[in-house]
Amino acid sequence: MDTVLLPLFAGIAAGVWLYARSIPQGGRSWWPLVAATIALVAVSRLAGHGWGAMLLAFAAELVAAALILSRGTPAAAAAARLFLGAMVAGTAAIATALALTGFGTMQPAAPLDKVAVALLMLGFALKLGLVPVYFWLPAVARASSVMTTAVIVAVVDVAGFCELLALREAMPWVFEGYAAVWIALALASLLGAGLLALAQSELKPMLAFSTIHDMGYLLLGVVLGGPEGMAGAWFAILGHALGKLVMFGAVGAAEWHLGAPPTLDTRGLSSSLPVAGAAFMLGALAFVGIPPTVGFLGHWRLYLAGAELGGPVLLAALFAGSAMGILCYVRAIHRTWLGPAGGTAGGPALPRAAAAVLLAFAITPVVLGLVPGAVGVAAPEAAVHATAPDVPPAAVAASLNTAASVAGGVK
């Protein structure tokens, strides 16, 4: 999969550069910081899955914190501190867990095995912004430029998730022996963040919470494992990255046009920004997994894995999560993008370079969905070697109860 990620990251870098040339995203230091973030992430994936790769990924996160800070506002400084704190704590937790396990080469004796699993869960929850430690991602979305958030979500977070996928293959006991707890974490993010996304009136934090919501789906694929779960996670992460990139870009175009962040009270943006409106809709299709996008290839496999291993209870939770995601985006499209213009005319038109970037990234998920062989991961090696945990219905029900408790405590 790393061979697929590298062209993806290169395409994102080129697209962000073209977009930022026409719709400025920051001062002089902004683009060098973006380039350094993407380059460090790419090199970390090339470095494999050892300590060197972890240090390179952490270096990318440090540069990303500087990228957030570069906007120069008090809100950006506060968001950068939250992000940096989460990345430092997450890296420390994961590094400690990997030290206890010889970087996945052994399972320590009790109770150190439980300590290692708990640290891995905490570390990846912090890095990916999962419920209940999601605090940094909405703050970054509100305080940063759209392409800063898009790079963090579509590059830094995606690389972190792929490292989790690698650990699923190298350390199956971490997931198979503690499947119910991992499922609870995934469902808390899927359902809790779905509710939080629906509660937003501004589009940028809505996109941030829906990112956390989708990570719940992806984490379920990792935990369930097996050919369907792992392949579903591989395909869905591509839809996740491309969908979020194009939707944040469309919202950035709307903010450029309006001179203020778009909300659900904004009306008829597609009348003034037809390309951005169409791109947002296509990006939403890829993100929630509607055919014929690559996101559908992933979500369909995740449903199959959930039905096979978790039974009707887990399948019902997945349906509920999908309903929240679809409702969130249907509402945004209906209220913000469609309908007659409501005071949205008169702003600057979408520059051609930005429009070309949005169209390219909006069409790509559809092309990959129609020609999945182009992805090169139709039957990923990790999926072949992974084994699915035996998740009894009672464990799934217990996971749902735990997830509901966590989600109910989210404010």
Side-chain angles (χ1 to χ4, degrees):
M1 181 62 178
D2 288 349
T3 58
V4 176
L5 286 178
L6 297 180
L8 173 67
F9 293 161
I12 289 174
V16 168
W17 178 74
L18 285 173
Y19 185 99
R21 279 176 60 87
S22 54
I23 300 180
Q25 300 295 297
R28 289 185 176 182
S29 64
W30 184 85
W31 174 245
L33 289 171
V34 170
T37 300
I38 297 175
L40 283 168
V41 168
V43 174
S44 74
R45 301 313 306 160
L46 287 173
H49 308 291
W51 293 110
M54 176 177 288
L55 290 175
L56 286 166
F58 182 58
E61 292 159 357
L62 294 179
V63 177
L67 179 63
I68 299 166
L69 184 62
S70 69
R71 196 166 202 191
T73 65
R81 287 193 296 269
L82 288 175
F83 176 79
L84 183 60
M87 296 306 107
V88 170
T91 299
I94 294 170
T96 304
L98 294 178
L100 290 173
T101 62
F103 217 92
T105 60
M106 64 178 185
Q107 179 176 352
L112 290 180
D113 57 342
K114 294 181 175 60
V115 172
V117 173
L119 288 172
L120 285 173
M121 291 185 67
L122 174 62
F124 280 104
L126 284 166
K127 282 179 172 283
L128 300 177
L130 302 177
V131 171
V133 288
Y134 61 87
F135 50 85
W136 63 264
L137 185 49
V140 168
R142 288 187 176 96
S144 303
S145 65
V146 291
M147 281 299 156
T148 295
T149 309
V151 166
I152 291 173
V153 169
V155 177
V156 178
D157 275 8
V158 166
F161 180 79
C162 288
E163 182 60 28
L164 183 62
L165 279 169
L167 290 178
R168 175 63 174 91
E169 185 178 10
M171 305 168 61
W173 62 270
V174 168
F175 301 90
E176 294 166 8
Y178 303 89
V181 186
W182 282 101
I183 290 173
L185 177 63
L187 292 177
S189 298
L190 176 66
L191 302 176
L195 291 172
L196 287 167
L198 286 169
Q200 305 306 308
S201 60
E202 187 180 331
L203 262 59
K204 287 198 292 186
M206 185 202 79
L207 291 178
F209 281 114
S210 71
T211 299
I212 303 167
H213 162 83
D214 197 53
M215 276 293 175
Y217 272 114
L218 299 174
L219 182 57
L220 276 175
V222 176
V223 178
L224 295 174
E228 295 296 349
M230 295 295 282
W234 284 127
F235 279 115
I237 196 64
L238 291 177
H240 178 96
L242 292 167
K244 265 299 178 286
L245 185 70
V246 73
M247 284 191 288
F248 270 112
V251 169
E255 190 172 18
W256 165 259
H257 178 78
L258 296 170
T263 70
L264 292 177
D265 293 326
T266 309
R267 293 290 189 271
L269 274 174
S270 289
S271 299
S272 304
L273 301 169
V275 172
F280 186 94
M281 295 174 204
L282 285 174
L285 292 179
F287 191 76
V288 300
I290 303 298
T293 65
V294 70
F296 169 74
L297 298 180
H299 282 78
W300 176 250
R301 284 165 171 78
L302 294 179
Y303 272 105
L304 292 177
E308 180 181 355
L309 302 172
V313 177
L314 185 55
L315 198 58
L318 289 171
F319 276 126
S322 291
M324 289 181 191
I326 292 172
L327 177 60
C328 184
Y329 286 110
V330 167
R331 185 181 62 167
I333 291 168
H334 172 70
R335 294 186 58 175
T336 302
W337 293 99
L338 298 182
T344 63
L350 181 63
R352 291 183 179 179
V357 169
L358 291 180
L359 282 177
F361 281 112
I363 294 171
T364 298
V366 178
V367 174
L368 294 179
L370 294 173
V371 191
V375 177
V377 291
E381 184 179 354
V384 174
H385 293 295
T387 56
D390 183 13
V391 188
V396 175
S399 299
L400 276 169
N401 291 333
T402 304
S405 300
V406 173
V410 173
K411 297 181 181 180

